[in-house]
Amino acid sequence: MIPVTRPGRKRSEESRQAILTAAAELVAEVGYAGLSIEGMAARSGTGKQTIYRWWPSKADVLLEALAEKADLHIPIPDEGSYAADLRAFLTASFALGRTPQVIAVLRALMAEAQINPEFGVRFRAGFLHRRRDALGVLVDRARARGDLPPVPRPATVADLVFGLIWYRVLATRDPIDDDQIDELVTLLTGAD
Amino acid sequence: MIPVTRPGRKRSEESRQAILTAAAELVAEVGYAGLSIEGMAARSGTGKQTIYRWWPSKADVLLEALAEKADLHIPIPDEGSYAADLRAFLTASFALGRTPQVIAVLRALMAEAQINPEFGVRFRAGFLHRRRDALGVLVDRARARGDLPPVPRPATVADLVFGLIWYRVLATRDPIDDDQIDELVTLLTGAD
Amino acid sequence: MIPVTRPGRKRSEESRQAILTAAAELVAEVGYAGLSIEGMAARSGTGKQTIYRWWPSKADVLLEALAEKADLHIPIPDEGSYAADLRAFLTASFALGRTPQVIAVLRALMAEAQINPEFGVRFRAGFLHRRRDALGVLVDRARARGDLPPVPRPATVADLVFGLIWYRVLATRDPIDDDQIDELVTLLTGAD
Amino acid sequence: MIPVTRPGRKRSEESRQAILTAAAELVAEVGYAGLSIEGMAARSGTGKQTIYRWWPSKADVLLEALAEKADLHIPIPDEGSYAADLRAFLTASFALGRTPQVIAVLRALMAEAQINPEFGVRFRAGFLHRRRDALGVLVDRARARGDLPPVPRPATVADLVFGLIWYRVLATRDPIDDDQIDELVTLLTGAD
DNA sequence: ATTTAAGCGAGACGGTACGTCTCGTCTTGAA
DNA sequence: TTCAAGACGAGACGTACCGTCTCGCTTAAAT
């Protein structure tokens, strides 16, 4: 058994919060490209070393700041049918991305994940997989009910749902209207 | 009529090609994060100013290098039916992204488009919209034929198709298998 | 016999004047450090090559501009005595350097002569030696008259006179008052 | 009383020395025009920022390097008479400028002082005034003794002495021979 | 109580690339 | 041949951050 109580000063929760807050404020003010560790340290009144000690990159700070405020595991209670479950999930997901600040951070993190492969691994594990798993719960539930149409296959459902969401966020950049939720539900449940 | 003959030395096509080649080679060797204007100038045997004179950022150089080799307006001949047209388009699109080098560049450009808004505008106009228009031709053709199912709507077709492709490229990072083409065709044409 | 009439276009006197004028104006506006061949070409409406064709450096342009306006060989008529000659020479010399613009150019040229040895050679030949020779005429005249004191030696007279002037221009930067002319004349003529 | 202990890492004396040495070596090798901050950083194995943090220009680095090796306040002990004091001062001054390396640096600094006014202020305060003050001590001593001739006035003595030295360094560029020391002493002390 | 071992804010360090500026040369088409 | 225009290879400028390294201090568990 490892002695968990190490000697020395404890990590400062105050500094941690100050850094997360500074990161969120700065990215809103100067954009992700203008965000720097140096700037975060200055704004938060901490030292650069304190940031480097706990986070590997500026993207990881943002990821933690995001996780702090938005629970990514939004559980979907059983709504009775696959269609109802799906509609609930989509509505909740779109609500998550309705705040421009969150969208901006998501765009930046997805971008960083492409450019910095190590962060990519962490971003997939810490964000993308969690969202995918949340959807997986619904699909499994539907499968158990025998509610699932033959096309698309369960594995493809996530690709279509998240593909559409991310494509709108990253490429077309206009918000998803509610009509599209109905359209998607219809398409995926095989209803007419 | 404007006199087209401007005074002064002409732009060097030789240097332009050397820069595009150097950019493509370097991004393959050191990755997008390791790519720099400085490095491109050194590798291509040109001066930094020559690059800054013609391109606003390293991403724009890559975009031009990409456009140079891959025609983005791949025309889809009439295959007789919506389903056949769609299958041809998807097959051609996946083939485009089969070469890892092209995928790597696309990931980088989509990332840069998130981080650098000015480049984002150019990337959408110079790449995303062209691909979307190419798909639009098929859909219009199907609509003229009365071949189009009520769901999804034409505008959503592109979101689903490109959403799925980009999501796999950016998020899951595993290649699309051919079964998924069939699945997608079935889903979008409303066939059973 | 060389055919003096060479083929091709003649040198443009207009451009030459425009360049000299631009150089003089610019050095007054932005200082010698801010003066550039590029700026001179832009201001004068000429091409850089035209400047490089006729002058080896920006300092040479300034030197020619200076020579254009101030005759450096101010002849000193025989005033009857060494003391009177000397006083006339000093008065004329100080007058030359009374205009701040000329002083500024002289400072810059003397500086450039230290930094750029090739220009140093030209500056000495084109400016310093001419001034020294002008003083030499007086001294020779005095020697012929037997008017010269044993100390300082003729060669040292120039060192003292020009040394004092340049030291004030370069180091102390305050103008020479007329009392110092008398002082210098007294000192050099051995009068009491 | 201000607490002198400032936070943060201390300035590296090792780097400071390495930079001063590199500056001195480089100016000897490539001349002042060829000297660059970039080159000094490379040669000294430091970063450019470290130089910019402590010195405003390459000339200031050289000035400090010069002050490091040559004490500019060479005190002149009382030699008994104004003439003897003066001879000692001149001999010491000429010795200072006998090493070609020192001369080369002085030429460069005086040049830079003309071109860069801010450095000019620092050069006068950090070098010229100190030398002038050293001479002032002798003159004051002579005045106290009643040893001073009416011409030249004390203020002009410095102009003549340093004028001659600098004129030879900057303009004629040939070394001062010892005869000229005697000549100068004779002239300034009013002896025959 | 004293020692030891972090963590902290601060800031200097060796680096790298940025985007700009100017250099001196070369190329173009008109005069 | 010269000229105005302007692209070119080259390379230094001064700045911004990177990620690392002292530094004096605070904090807390172990001695």
Side-chain angles (χ1 to χ4, degrees):
Chain A
M1 187 64 186
I2 302 145
V4 204
T5 49
R6 292 183 303 141
R9 188 175 177 172
K10 290 287 182 306
R11 176 174 183 182
S12 161
E13 175 59 20
E14 196 177 0
S15 291
R16 180 178 158 275
Q17 279 299 343
I19 290 162
L20 295 180
T21 304
E25 289 173 5
L26 280 171
V27 84
E29 288 173 28
V30 298
Y32 185 72
L35 183 67
S36 67
I37 301 272
E38 208 120 309
M40 287 164 38
R43 165 73 69 111
S44 65
T46 64
K48 285 165 56 175
Q49 197 60 261
T50 302
I51 301 180
Y52 281 111
R53 209 189 328 270
W54 302 110
W55 293 278
S57 78
K58 64 176 182 176
D60 290 87
V61 181
L62 276 187
L63 180 55
E64 185 166 330
L66 180 68
E68 195 86 337
K69 68 167 65 167
D71 183 8
L72 305 174
H73 254 310
I74 326 159
I76 299 297
D78 194 327
E79 302 276 345
S81 72
Y82 182 36
D85 278 5
L86 247 184
R87 177 169 285 106
F89 181 85
L90 289 170
T91 307
S93 292
F94 295 174
L96 178 94
R98 202 78 80 192
T99 45
Q101 291 191 5
V102 171
I103 291 247
V105 169
L106 286 178
R107 273 201 265 261
L109 296 185
M110 184 57 108
E112 186 66 50
Q114 308 308 313
I115 287 171
N116 175 344
E118 283 89 354
F119 174 73
V121 171
R122 293 191 294 274
F123 180 58
R124 272 186 284 280
F127 186 89
L128 297 176
H129 291 171
R130 292 193 195 188
R131 299 295 302 133
R132 212 178 165 90
D133 291 347
L135 179 58
V137 170
L138 308 193
V139 176
D140 289 347
R141 210 184 275 158
R143 182 161 29 201
R145 271 198 211 101
D147 219 5
L148 223 51
V151 167
R153 295 171 298 173
T156 304
V157 171
D159 289 353
L160 287 166
V161 168
F162 294 117
L164 187 139
I165 295 176
W166 277 107
Y167 184 71
R168 295 219 131 214
V169 167
L170 301 175
T172 67
R173 301 178 67 103
D174 37 46
I176 312 177
D177 52 282
D178 291 332
D179 290 356
Q180 225 164 4
I181 296 187
D182 293 332
E183 206 177 351
L184 210 48
V185 171
T186 308
L187 193 70
L188 296 178
T189 57
D192 292 299
Chain B
M1 187 64 186
I2 302 145
V4 209
T5 48
R6 294 196 302 126
R9 187 175 175 173
K10 292 286 181 305
R11 176 174 183 182
S12 162
E13 175 60 21
E14 198 177 359
S15 291
R16 182 178 156 274
Q17 279 299 342
I19 290 162
L20 295 180
T21 303
E25 288 173 4
L26 280 172
V27 84
E29 288 172 29
V30 298
Y32 185 71
L35 183 66
S36 67
I37 301 271
E38 206 124 303
M40 287 165 37
R43 166 74 68 110
S44 65
T46 63
K48 285 165 58 173
Q49 197 62 260
T50 301
I51 300 180
Y52 281 110
R53 193 176 297 121
W54 303 110
W55 293 279
S57 78
K58 64 177 181 174
D60 290 271
V61 181
L62 276 186
L63 180 55
E64 185 165 330
L66 181 67
E68 195 87 336
K69 68 168 64 170
D71 184 7
L72 305 175
H73 253 311
I74 326 160
I76 298 296
D78 193 328
E79 302 277 344
S81 72
Y82 181 37
D85 277 5
L86 209 56
R87 177 169 286 107
F89 181 85
L90 290 170
T91 308
S93 291
F94 295 175
L96 178 92
R98 202 76 82 191
T99 46
Q101 291 192 3
V102 171
I103 293 247
V105 169
L106 286 178
R107 272 200 265 260
L109 295 186
M110 184 58 107
E112 186 67 48
Q114 307 309 312
I115 287 170
N116 175 343
E118 283 88 355
F119 175 73
V121 172
R122 293 190 294 272
F123 181 57
R124 273 187 282 283
F127 185 89
L128 297 176
H129 290 172
R130 293 192 193 189
R131 300 294 302 133
R132 213 178 163 91
D133 292 346
L135 179 58
V137 170
L138 306 194
V139 176
D140 288 346
R141 213 184 274 159
R143 178 159 34 196
R145 271 197 211 103
D147 221 3
L148 224 50
V151 168
R153 293 171 299 171
T156 304
V157 171
D159 288 354
L160 287 166
V161 167
F162 293 116
L164 186 140
I165 295 176
W166 277 108
Y167 185 70
R168 297 220 128 213
V169 167
L170 301 175
T172 68
R173 297 179 70 100
D174 36 46
I176 312 176
D177 51 283
D178 292 332
D179 288 356
Q180 226 165 1
I181 295 186
D182 292 330
E183 207 178 349
L184 211 47
V185 171
T186 305
L187 193 71
L188 297 177
T189 56
D192 294 294
Chain C
M1 188 64 188
I2 302 146
V4 202
T5 49
R6 291 184 302 144
R9 190 173 171 175
K10 291 287 180 310
R11 175 174 184 183
S12 159
E13 175 61 19
E14 197 177 359
S15 292
R16 181 177 157 274
Q17 279 299 342
I19 290 162
L20 295 180
T21 304
E25 288 174 4
L26 280 172
V27 84
E29 288 171 28
V30 296
Y32 185 70
L35 183 67
S36 68
I37 301 271
E38 208 118 311
M40 287 164 39
R43 165 72 69 111
S44 64
T46 64
K48 286 165 56 175
Q49 197 61 261
T50 303
I51 301 180
Y52 280 112
R53 201 176 348 254
W54 302 109
W55 294 278
S57 79
K58 65 177 181 176
D60 290 271
V61 181
L62 275 186
L63 180 55
E64 184 165 330
L66 181 69
E68 195 88 334
K69 68 167 67 168
D71 184 8
L72 305 174
H73 252 312
I74 328 157
I76 298 297
D78 195 327
E79 301 277 344
S81 73
Y82 182 36
D85 277 4
L86 208 57
R87 176 168 287 105
F89 181 86
L90 289 171
T91 306
S93 292
F94 294 175
L96 177 92
R98 204 76 82 190
T99 45
Q101 293 192 2
V102 171
I103 292 245
V105 169
L106 287 178
R107 273 202 264 259
L109 295 185
M110 183 58 107
E112 186 67 49
Q114 308 308 313
I115 286 171
N116 175 344
E118 283 87 357
F119 174 73
V121 171
R122 293 191 293 273
F123 181 58
R124 274 187 282 282
F127 186 90
L128 297 176
H129 290 172
R130 292 192 195 187
R131 300 294 302 135
R132 213 176 164 93
D133 293 346
L135 178 59
V137 169
L138 308 193
V139 176
D140 287 346
R141 212 184 274 158
R143 179 158 35 198
R145 271 197 211 101
D147 221 3
L148 222 52
V151 168
R153 293 171 299 171
T156 303
V157 170
D159 288 354
L160 287 166
V161 167
F162 294 116
L164 186 139
I165 294 176
W166 277 108
Y167 184 71
R168 297 220 128 213
V169 167
L170 301 175
T172 67
R173 299 179 67 102
D174 36 45
I176 312 176
D177 52 284
D178 292 333
D179 289 356
Q180 225 165 5
I181 295 187
D182 293 331
E183 207 178 348
L184 211 48
V185 170
T186 307
L187 193 72
L188 296 177
T189 56
D192 294 294
Chain D
M1 187 67 185
I2 303 143
V4 211
T5 48
R6 295 195 303 124
R9 187 175 176 173
K10 294 284 183 307
R11 176 174 183 182
S12 162
E13 175 61 20
E14 198 176 359
S15 292
R16 181 178 157 275
Q17 280 298 342
I19 290 163
L20 295 180
T21 304
E25 289 173 4
L26 279 171
V27 84
E29 287 173 29
V30 298
Y32 185 71
L35 183 67
S36 67
I37 301 271
E38 205 123 304
M40 286 166 38
R43 166 73 68 110
S44 65
T46 64
K48 285 166 58 174
Q49 197 63 259
T50 301
I51 301 180
Y52 282 111
R53 193 177 297 121
W54 301 110
W55 293 279
S57 78
K58 63 177 183 174
D60 290 86
V61 181
L62 276 187
L63 179 55
E64 185 165 329
L66 180 68
E68 194 86 336
K69 67 168 64 169
D71 184 6
L72 305 174
H73 255 311
I74 326 159
I76 298 298
D78 194 327
E79 301 278 344
S81 72
Y82 181 36
D85 276 5
L86 247 185
R87 176 169 286 106
F89 181 85
L90 289 171
T91 307
S93 292
F94 295 173
L96 178 93
R98 201 77 80 191
T99 45
Q101 291 192 3
V102 171
I103 292 249
V105 169
L106 287 178
R107 272 200 266 260
L109 295 185
M110 184 57 108
E112 186 66 49
Q114 307 310 312
I115 287 170
N116 175 344
E118 283 88 356
F119 175 73
V121 171
R122 293 192 293 274
F123 181 58
R124 275 187 282 282
F127 186 89
L128 297 176
H129 291 170
R130 293 194 194 188
R131 299 296 301 133
R132 212 179 164 90
D133 292 346
L135 178 58
V137 170
L138 307 194
V139 176
D140 289 345
R141 208 184 277 158
R143 180 159 33 199
R145 271 197 210 103
D147 221 5
L148 224 50
V151 168
R153 297 170 298 172
T156 303
V157 171
D159 289 353
L160 287 166
V161 167
F162 293 116
L164 186 139
I165 295 176
W166 276 108
Y167 185 71
R168 296 219 131 215
V169 166
L170 300 175
T172 68
R173 301 178 67 102
D174 37 46
I176 312 175
D177 51 284
D178 291 332
D179 289 357
Q180 225 165 3
I181 297 187
D182 292 331
E183 208 178 348
L184 210 48
V185 171
T186 306
L187 193 71
L188 297 177
T189 55
D192 295 296

